[in-house]
Amino acid sequence: MSDPRTTPSPDLTKPGGTGAGAVPAAGAAGVEEFGYRQELKRSLTFTDLLVYGLVFMVPIAPFGIFGSVFQGSGGMIALAYAIGGLAMAFTAASYSQMSRAFPMAGSVYTYAGRGIAQPVGFMAGWMILLDYVLVPALLYLIAAVAMNSIVTSIPVWVWLIGFVVLNTVVNYFGIEFTARVNKIMLVAELIVLAVFLVIGVIALATGEGRGFDFTPIYNSDTFSLELVFGAVSIAVLSFLGFDGISTLAEENRDSARSIGKAMIAALALAGTLFIVQTWVAALLVPDPDTLIAEGDAAGTAFYDAAEVAGGAWLGTLTAVATAVAWGFANSLVAQAATSRLLFAMARDRQLPAFLRQVHPTRRVPVNATLLVAVVSLVLGLYMESREDGITLLSTLVNFGALSAFLLLHVSVVWHYVGRLGSRNYWLHLAVPVIGFAILAYVVYNAQVAAQELGFVWLVVGLVLMGVLIATGRKPEIRAEEDL
């Protein structure tokens, strides 16, 4: 590896440069091509990336928000997940293209910053932070509430602290250890899901529930685009996570194409599982009209459906599985992804320098990992004291992610068509434009609270960027030798 102190600054206008228009040389996938040192450990295979994405999305994610999406969609919950999966498919395709162009940690912050301009990248990173920084706290809180409902003698805040400490210790031991834990958790989640599906289908076949019909995918009595897309804005919470794979680009030991392939594969597998499990559960809901009219304040709609299929033991099993999946497995990878985003932004001087510190032997961004733990703990404890804590966090997480995805689609068109003159109009024009349109409509139909709070976060980001510029820290991509 070249010494970064003696390597000449790359030409910003040619492949392998460090400017916004830099494109890696053919077959290259190293950060050295962009003027950085390789600091994180490259040890992850395609399978590791795929498992990471599936665990981040959680194959049983609909268990926890089933009632909310069922009510919001007028009972057409499978349709809401199908549309959500389609919208995310276009987004995954755009992620795939940008991850090949810029195989570095930082996710949409890196892609928008190098694909368009660094100030745009800063704002994309700022908006995705709303997702990445808050989602661990949301997951810990949901899991702690679920465990408290099972073991009421232990308060929510104790469960929350336990989950935070456990995940932080696992992530501290390095990405390889995290990857091994991910595989174990994924197998456990898939077993629980398989048990529910088998028992649920048998129950429907023997006369339990409403029997087989297509109302979870289409109901002429309640269907409207506004209704369904409003539910999609909630359902996409289950899909968030496939994009987290892009934050591990500097720990991927295969070609840069593995990042995009893993994202698309994870999304396809998870989307299929979401549609199937929500379809079966929707047909087992004891009183669908009441659920649509009154909602699911207790968050137990899925567990009630599972109880109809197999009895109280299946309802308890699915509740425990939700708590462990959200509070440990999902939170574990969420913390890892968030720390890599903070690391990437700090490396470019957009966040405090201490966040770019990498552990000398474990090769993980240790300070960023610890900061995510502290923020998650403080936010989780605060939101636990609010009646609307879970709802508030959910709306903020979704709005931040979808807003950043909009900038991702723009960066594909700007970089490939505008800058490089690509004639692959399907991947570099049609796909990002269609993806942008679908997400824009979802954001438009999102809850007003999400729009208002998201706008406040956007304004804060613009002010912060103004402060950075005014103090001589204008957002710009910097090579390692400039740091």
Side-chain angles (χ1 to χ4, degrees), residues 75-104:
M76 295 174 287
I77 186 170
L79 177 61
Y81 273 101
I83 295 175
L86 179 63
M88 291 299 100
F90 286 103
T91 301
S94 288
Y95 259 109
S96 177
Q97 294 304 305
M98 297 308 287
S99 67
R100 289 171 59 186
F102 309 111
M104 293 172 286

PDB file of all heavy atoms in Angstrom, residues 75-104:
ATOM      1  N   GLY A  75     -57.024  -3.353   5.931  1.00  0.00           N
ATOM      2  CA  GLY A  75     -56.984  -4.804   5.872  1.00  0.00           C
ATOM      3  C   GLY A  75     -56.170  -5.352   4.712  1.00  0.00           C
ATOM      4  O   GLY A  75     -55.872  -6.550   4.675  1.00  0.00           O
ATOM      5  N   MET A  76     -55.763  -4.496   3.770  1.00  0.00           N
ATOM      6  CA  MET A  76     -54.992  -4.949   2.597  1.00  0.00           C
ATOM      7  C   MET A  76     -53.496  -4.873   2.891  1.00  0.00           C
ATOM      8  O   MET A  76     -52.712  -4.246   2.171  1.00  0.00           O
ATOM      9  CB  MET A  76     -55.352  -4.096   1.380  1.00  0.00           C
ATOM     10  CG  MET A  76     -56.797  -4.259   0.931  1.00  0.00           C
ATOM     11  SD  MET A  76     -57.273  -3.141  -0.403  1.00  0.00           S
ATOM     12  CE  MET A  76     -57.368  -1.573   0.486  1.00  0.00           C
ATOM     13  N   ILE A  77     -53.108  -5.561   3.934  1.00  0.00           N
ATOM     14  CA  ILE A  77     -51.735  -5.453   4.422  1.00  0.00           C
ATOM     15  C   ILE A  77     -50.734  -6.093   3.473  1.00  0.00           C
ATOM     16  O   ILE A  77     -49.619  -5.588   3.292  1.00  0.00           O
ATOM     17  CB  ILE A  77     -51.629  -6.070   5.841  1.00  0.00           C
ATOM     18  CG1 ILE A  77     -50.240  -5.823   6.430  1.00  0.00           C
ATOM     19  CG2 ILE A  77     -51.988  -7.557   5.831  1.00  0.00           C
ATOM     20  CD1 ILE A  77     -50.134  -6.173   7.908  1.00  0.00           C
ATOM     21  N   ALA A  78     -51.083  -7.196   2.823  1.00  0.00           N
ATOM     22  CA  ALA A  78     -50.168  -7.832   1.875  1.00  0.00           C
ATOM     23  C   ALA A  78     -49.901  -6.912   0.691  1.00  0.00           C
ATOM     24  O   ALA A  78     -48.787  -6.864   0.165  1.00  0.00           O
ATOM     25  CB  ALA A  78     -50.735  -9.170   1.397  1.00  0.00           C
ATOM     26  N   LEU A  79     -50.934  -6.161   0.262  1.00  0.00           N
ATOM     27  CA  LEU A  79     -50.761  -5.205  -0.832  1.00  0.00           C
ATOM     28  C   LEU A  79     -49.810  -4.088  -0.411  1.00  0.00           C
ATOM     29  O   LEU A  79     -48.960  -3.658  -1.202  1.00  0.00           O
ATOM     30  CB  LEU A  79     -52.112  -4.614  -1.238  1.00  0.00           C
ATOM     31  CG  LEU A  79     -52.078  -3.540  -2.333  1.00  0.00           C
ATOM     32  CD1 LEU A  79     -51.497  -4.102  -3.618  1.00  0.00           C
ATOM     33  CD2 LEU A  79     -53.481  -2.975  -2.568  1.00  0.00           C
ATOM     34  N   ALA A  80     -49.947  -3.608   0.828  1.00  0.00           N
ATOM     35  CA  ALA A  80     -49.072  -2.547   1.326  1.00  0.00           C
ATOM     36  C   ALA A  80     -47.613  -3.004   1.307  1.00  0.00           C
ATOM     37  O   ALA A  80     -46.719  -2.246   0.895  1.00  0.00           O
ATOM     38  CB  ALA A  80     -49.476  -2.138   2.739  1.00  0.00           C
ATOM     39  N   TYR A  81     -47.377  -4.241   1.716  1.00  0.00           N
ATOM     40  CA  TYR A  81     -46.003  -4.757   1.711  1.00  0.00           C
ATOM     41  C   TYR A  81     -45.500  -5.015   0.289  1.00  0.00           C
ATOM     42  O   TYR A  81     -44.303  -4.846   0.006  1.00  0.00           O
ATOM     43  CB  TYR A  81     -45.910  -6.027   2.561  1.00  0.00           C
ATOM     44  CG  TYR A  81     -45.648  -5.726   4.019  1.00  0.00           C
ATOM     45  CD1 TYR A  81     -46.679  -5.754   4.953  1.00  0.00           C
ATOM     46  CD2 TYR A  81     -44.378  -5.381   4.451  1.00  0.00           C
ATOM     47  CE1 TYR A  81     -46.447  -5.455   6.294  1.00  0.00           C
ATOM     48  CE2 TYR A  81     -44.134  -5.078   5.788  1.00  0.00           C
ATOM     49  CZ  TYR A  81     -45.172  -5.118   6.699  1.00  0.00           C
ATOM     50  OH  TYR A  81     -44.930  -4.804   8.019  1.00  0.00           O
ATOM     51  N   ALA A  82     -46.404  -5.420  -0.609  1.00  0.00           N
ATOM     52  CA  ALA A  82     -45.996  -5.638  -1.997  1.00  0.00           C
ATOM     53  C   ALA A  82     -45.569  -4.325  -2.641  1.00  0.00           C
ATOM     54  O   ALA A  82     -44.537  -4.261  -3.334  1.00  0.00           O
ATOM     55  CB  ALA A  82     -47.143  -6.274  -2.785  1.00  0.00           C
ATOM     56  N   ILE A  83     -46.331  -3.253  -2.425  1.00  0.00           N
ATOM     57  CA  ILE A  83     -45.978  -1.951  -2.987  1.00  0.00           C
ATOM     58  C   ILE A  83     -44.709  -1.423  -2.334  1.00  0.00           C
ATOM     59  O   ILE A  83     -43.833  -0.858  -3.001  1.00  0.00           O
ATOM     60  CB  ILE A  83     -47.139  -0.951  -2.804  1.00  0.00           C
ATOM     61  CG1 ILE A  83     -48.352  -1.408  -3.614  1.00  0.00           C
ATOM     62  CG2 ILE A  83     -46.714   0.453  -3.236  1.00  0.00           C
ATOM     63  CD1 ILE A  83     -49.589  -0.543  -3.412  1.00  0.00           C
ATOM     64  N   GLY A  84     -44.594  -1.626  -1.026  1.00  0.00           N
ATOM     65  CA  GLY A  84     -43.380  -1.204  -0.332  1.00  0.00           C
ATOM     66  C   GLY A  84     -42.157  -1.915  -0.876  1.00  0.00           C
ATOM     67  O   GLY A  84     -41.101  -1.311  -1.080  1.00  0.00           O
ATOM     68  N   GLY A  85     -42.297  -3.215  -1.132  1.00  0.00           N
ATOM     69  CA  GLY A  85     -41.185  -3.980  -1.694  1.00  0.00           C
ATOM     70  C   GLY A  85     -40.814  -3.498  -3.083  1.00  0.00           C
ATOM     71  O   GLY A  85     -39.633  -3.429  -3.439  1.00  0.00           O
ATOM     72  N   LEU A  86     -41.829  -3.155  -3.899  1.00  0.00           N
ATOM     73  CA  LEU A  86     -41.567  -2.644  -5.242  1.00  0.00           C
ATOM     74  C   LEU A  86     -40.814  -1.318  -5.181  1.00  0.00           C
ATOM     75  O   LEU A  86     -39.839  -1.109  -5.918  1.00  0.00           O
ATOM     76  CB  LEU A  86     -42.895  -2.454  -5.991  1.00  0.00           C
ATOM     77  CG  LEU A  86     -42.791  -1.893  -7.410  1.00  0.00           C
ATOM     78  CD1 LEU A  86     -42.030  -2.854  -8.306  1.00  0.00           C
ATOM     79  CD2 LEU A  86     -44.192  -1.622  -7.976  1.00  0.00           C
ATOM     80  N   ALA A  87     -41.257  -0.437  -4.298  1.00  0.00           N
ATOM     81  CA  ALA A  87     -40.585   0.853  -4.155  1.00  0.00           C
ATOM     82  C   ALA A  87     -39.133   0.663  -3.722  1.00  0.00           C
ATOM     83  O   ALA A  87     -38.212   1.306  -4.254  1.00  0.00           O
ATOM     84  CB  ALA A  87     -41.328   1.722  -3.139  1.00  0.00           C
ATOM     85  N   MET A  88     -38.911  -0.232  -2.777  1.00  0.00           N
ATOM     86  CA  MET A  88     -37.553  -0.474  -2.301  1.00  0.00           C
ATOM     87  C   MET A  88     -36.702  -1.203  -3.339  1.00  0.00           C
ATOM     88  O   MET A  88     -35.472  -1.080  -3.336  1.00  0.00           O
ATOM     89  CB  MET A  88     -37.600  -1.292  -1.009  1.00  0.00           C
ATOM     90  CG  MET A  88     -38.165  -0.554   0.196  1.00  0.00           C
ATOM     91  SD  MET A  88     -37.221   0.928   0.686  1.00  0.00           S
ATOM     92  CE  MET A  88     -38.255   2.201  -0.051  1.00  0.00           C
ATOM     93  N   ALA A  89     -37.342  -1.949  -4.270  1.00  0.00           N
ATOM     94  CA  ALA A  89     -36.585  -2.636  -5.321  1.00  0.00           C
ATOM     95  C   ALA A  89     -35.898  -1.621  -6.232  1.00  0.00           C
ATOM     96  O   ALA A  89     -34.737  -1.790  -6.609  1.00  0.00           O
ATOM     97  CB  ALA A  89     -37.515  -3.534  -6.137  1.00  0.00           C
ATOM     98  N   PHE A  90     -36.620  -0.560  -6.579  1.00  0.00           N
ATOM     99  CA  PHE A  90     -36.014   0.487  -7.397  1.00  0.00           C
ATOM    100  C   PHE A  90     -34.893   1.189  -6.622  1.00  0.00           C
ATOM    101  O   PHE A  90     -33.854   1.544  -7.187  1.00  0.00           O
ATOM    102  CB  PHE A  90     -37.082   1.503  -7.825  1.00  0.00           C
ATOM    103  CG  PHE A  90     -38.008   1.004  -8.888  1.00  0.00           C
ATOM    104  CD1 PHE A  90     -39.298   0.584  -8.579  1.00  0.00           C
ATOM    105  CD2 PHE A  90     -37.594   0.929 -10.209  1.00  0.00           C
ATOM    106  CE1 PHE A  90     -40.151   0.107  -9.567  1.00  0.00           C
ATOM    107  CE2 PHE A  90     -38.444   0.459 -11.213  1.00  0.00           C
ATOM    108  CZ  PHE A  90     -39.721   0.041 -10.889  1.00  0.00           C
ATOM    109  N   THR A  91     -35.109   1.368  -5.332  1.00  0.00           N
ATOM    110  CA  THR A  91     -34.083   1.992  -4.498  1.00  0.00           C
ATOM    111  C   THR A  91     -32.855   1.101  -4.384  1.00  0.00           C
ATOM    112  O   THR A  91     -31.716   1.583  -4.446  1.00  0.00           O
ATOM    113  CB  THR A  91     -34.653   2.294  -3.094  1.00  0.00           C
ATOM    114  OG1 THR A  91     -35.777   3.159  -3.214  1.00  0.00           O
ATOM    115  CG2 THR A  91     -33.607   2.963  -2.217  1.00  0.00           C
ATOM    116  N   ALA A  92     -33.071  -0.205  -4.229  1.00  0.00           N
ATOM    117  CA  ALA A  92     -31.952  -1.144  -4.154  1.00  0.00           C
ATOM    118  C   ALA A  92     -31.149  -1.138  -5.447  1.00  0.00           C
ATOM    119  O   ALA A  92     -29.917  -1.243  -5.432  1.00  0.00           O
ATOM    120  CB  ALA A  92     -32.461  -2.554  -3.859  1.00  0.00           C
ATOM    121  N   ALA A  93     -31.842  -1.021  -6.596  1.00  0.00           N
ATOM    122  CA  ALA A  93     -31.145  -0.966  -7.885  1.00  0.00           C
ATOM    123  C   ALA A  93     -30.259   0.269  -7.967  1.00  0.00           C
ATOM    124  O   ALA A  93     -29.131   0.218  -8.466  1.00  0.00           O
ATOM    125  CB  ALA A  93     -32.158  -0.977  -9.025  1.00  0.00           C
ATOM    126  N   SER A  94     -30.752   1.399  -7.456  1.00  0.00           N
ATOM    127  CA  SER A  94     -29.947   2.622  -7.455  1.00  0.00           C
ATOM    128  C   SER A  94     -28.761   2.490  -6.506  1.00  0.00           C
ATOM    129  O   SER A  94     -27.648   2.934  -6.810  1.00  0.00           O
ATOM    130  CB  SER A  94     -30.815   3.823  -7.050  1.00  0.00           C
ATOM    131  OG  SER A  94     -31.718   4.169  -8.087  1.00  0.00           O
ATOM    132  N   TYR A  95     -28.989   1.881  -5.346  1.00  0.00           N
ATOM    133  CA  TYR A  95     -27.887   1.620  -4.413  1.00  0.00           C
ATOM    134  C   TYR A  95     -26.826   0.748  -5.079  1.00  0.00           C
ATOM    135  O   TYR A  95     -25.615   0.970  -4.917  1.00  0.00           O
ATOM    136  CB  TYR A  95     -28.403   0.905  -3.166  1.00  0.00           C
ATOM    137  CG  TYR A  95     -28.583   1.805  -1.963  1.00  0.00           C
ATOM    138  CD1 TYR A  95     -29.847   2.145  -1.505  1.00  0.00           C
ATOM    139  CD2 TYR A  95     -27.477   2.310  -1.280  1.00  0.00           C
ATOM    140  CE1 TYR A  95     -30.012   2.963  -0.398  1.00  0.00           C
ATOM    141  CE2 TYR A  95     -27.633   3.126  -0.169  1.00  0.00           C
ATOM    142  CZ  TYR A  95     -28.905   3.446   0.261  1.00  0.00           C
ATOM    143  OH  TYR A  95     -29.057   4.256   1.361  1.00  0.00           O
ATOM    144  N   SER A  96     -27.277  -0.260  -5.825  1.00  0.00           N
ATOM    145  CA  SER A  96     -26.345  -1.164  -6.491  1.00  0.00           C
ATOM    146  C   SER A  96     -25.441  -0.414  -7.459  1.00  0.00           C
ATOM    147  O   SER A  96     -24.228  -0.652  -7.506  1.00  0.00           O
ATOM    148  CB  SER A  96     -27.126  -2.256  -7.233  1.00  0.00           C
ATOM    149  OG  SER A  96     -26.253  -3.106  -7.937  1.00  0.00           O
ATOM    150  N   GLN A  97     -26.015   0.502  -8.225  1.00  0.00           N
ATOM    151  CA  GLN A  97     -25.226   1.259  -9.193  1.00  0.00           C
ATOM    152  C   GLN A  97     -24.212   2.174  -8.502  1.00  0.00           C
ATOM    153  O   GLN A  97     -23.049   2.251  -8.899  1.00  0.00           O
ATOM    154  CB  GLN A  97     -26.161   2.091 -10.081  1.00  0.00           C
ATOM    155  CG  GLN A  97     -27.058   1.264 -10.978  1.00  0.00           C
ATOM    156  CD  GLN A  97     -26.272   0.321 -11.872  1.00  0.00           C
ATOM    157  OE1 GLN A  97     -25.385   0.741 -12.613  1.00  0.00           O
ATOM    158  NE2 GLN A  97     -26.588  -0.969 -11.799  1.00  0.00           N
ATOM    159  N   MET A  98     -24.630   2.840  -7.440  1.00  0.00           N
ATOM    160  CA  MET A  98     -23.726   3.781  -6.770  1.00  0.00           C
ATOM    161  C   MET A  98     -22.674   3.057  -5.940  1.00  0.00           C
ATOM    162  O   MET A  98     -21.547   3.555  -5.787  1.00  0.00           O
ATOM    163  CB  MET A  98     -24.526   4.747  -5.898  1.00  0.00           C
ATOM    164  CG  MET A  98     -25.485   5.646  -6.682  1.00  0.00           C
ATOM    165  SD  MET A  98     -24.677   6.535  -8.052  1.00  0.00           S
ATOM    166  CE  MET A  98     -23.710   7.754  -7.144  1.00  0.00           C
ATOM    167  N   SER A  99     -22.990   1.877  -5.419  1.00  0.00           N
ATOM    168  CA  SER A  99     -21.997   1.126  -4.639  1.00  0.00           C
ATOM    169  C   SER A  99     -20.879   0.611  -5.533  1.00  0.00           C
ATOM    170  O   SER A  99     -19.748   0.419  -5.081  1.00  0.00           O
ATOM    171  CB  SER A  99     -22.668  -0.038  -3.897  1.00  0.00           C
ATOM    172  OG  SER A  99     -23.150  -1.016  -4.801  1.00  0.00           O
ATOM    173  N   ARG A 100     -21.194   0.366  -6.801  1.00  0.00           N
ATOM    174  CA  ARG A 100     -20.158  -0.042  -7.750  1.00  0.00           C
ATOM    175  C   ARG A 100     -19.271   1.143  -8.133  1.00  0.00           C
ATOM    176  O   ARG A 100     -18.065   0.984  -8.336  1.00  0.00           O
ATOM    177  CB  ARG A 100     -20.805  -0.633  -8.997  1.00  0.00           C
ATOM    178  CG  ARG A 100     -21.450  -1.986  -8.763  1.00  0.00           C
ATOM    179  CD  ARG A 100     -22.254  -2.425  -9.968  1.00  0.00           C
ATOM    180  NE  ARG A 100     -21.442  -2.519 -11.170  1.00  0.00           N
ATOM    181  CZ  ARG A 100     -21.931  -2.778 -12.389  1.00  0.00           C
ATOM    182  NH1 ARG A 100     -23.230  -2.972 -12.530  1.00  0.00           N
ATOM    183  NH2 ARG A 100     -21.119  -2.854 -13.423  1.00  0.00           N
ATOM    184  N   ALA A 101     -19.871   2.318  -8.231  1.00  0.00           N
ATOM    185  CA  ALA A 101     -19.094   3.503  -8.598  1.00  0.00           C
ATOM    186  C   ALA A 101     -18.209   3.965  -7.446  1.00  0.00           C
ATOM    187  O   ALA A 101     -17.064   4.376  -7.658  1.00  0.00           O
ATOM    188  CB  ALA A 101     -20.035   4.635  -9.024  1.00  0.00           C
ATOM    189  N   PHE A 102     -18.725   3.883  -6.222  1.00  0.00           N
ATOM    190  CA  PHE A 102     -18.004   4.385  -5.044  1.00  0.00           C
ATOM    191  C   PHE A 102     -18.065   3.346  -3.926  1.00  0.00           C
ATOM    192  O   PHE A 102     -18.911   3.435  -3.029  1.00  0.00           O
ATOM    193  CB  PHE A 102     -18.602   5.704  -4.575  1.00  0.00           C
ATOM    194  CG  PHE A 102     -18.743   6.730  -5.673  1.00  0.00           C
ATOM    195  CD1 PHE A 102     -20.001   7.108  -6.140  1.00  0.00           C
ATOM    196  CD2 PHE A 102     -17.621   7.292  -6.259  1.00  0.00           C
ATOM    197  CE1 PHE A 102     -20.122   8.029  -7.159  1.00  0.00           C
ATOM    198  CE2 PHE A 102     -17.734   8.222  -7.278  1.00  0.00           C
ATOM    199  CZ  PHE A 102     -18.985   8.588  -7.736  1.00  0.00           C
ATOM    200  N   PRO A 103     -17.203   2.325  -3.952  1.00  0.00           N
ATOM    201  CA  PRO A 103     -17.241   1.227  -2.976  1.00  0.00           C
ATOM    202  C   PRO A 103     -16.632   1.606  -1.634  1.00  0.00           C
ATOM    203  O   PRO A 103     -15.577   1.108  -1.248  1.00  0.00           O
ATOM    204  CB  PRO A 103     -16.436   0.128  -3.673  1.00  0.00           C
ATOM    205  CG  PRO A 103     -15.431   0.885  -4.497  1.00  0.00           C
ATOM    206  CD  PRO A 103     -16.155   2.115  -4.982  1.00  0.00           C
ATOM    207  N   MET A 104     -17.314   2.482  -0.919  1.00  0.00           N
ATOM    208  CA  MET A 104     -16.803   2.966   0.371  1.00  0.00           C
ATOM    209  C   MET A 104     -17.912   2.982   1.402  1.00  0.00           C
ATOM    210  O   MET A 104     -19.097   2.966   1.061  1.00  0.00           O
ATOM    211  CB  MET A 104     -16.232   4.381   0.217  1.00  0.00           C
ATOM    212  CG  MET A 104     -14.981   4.457  -0.636  1.00  0.00           C
ATOM    213  SD  MET A 104     -14.511   6.174  -0.958  1.00  0.00           S
ATOM    214  CE  MET A 104     -15.748   6.615  -2.156  1.00  0.00           C
TER     215      MET A 104
END
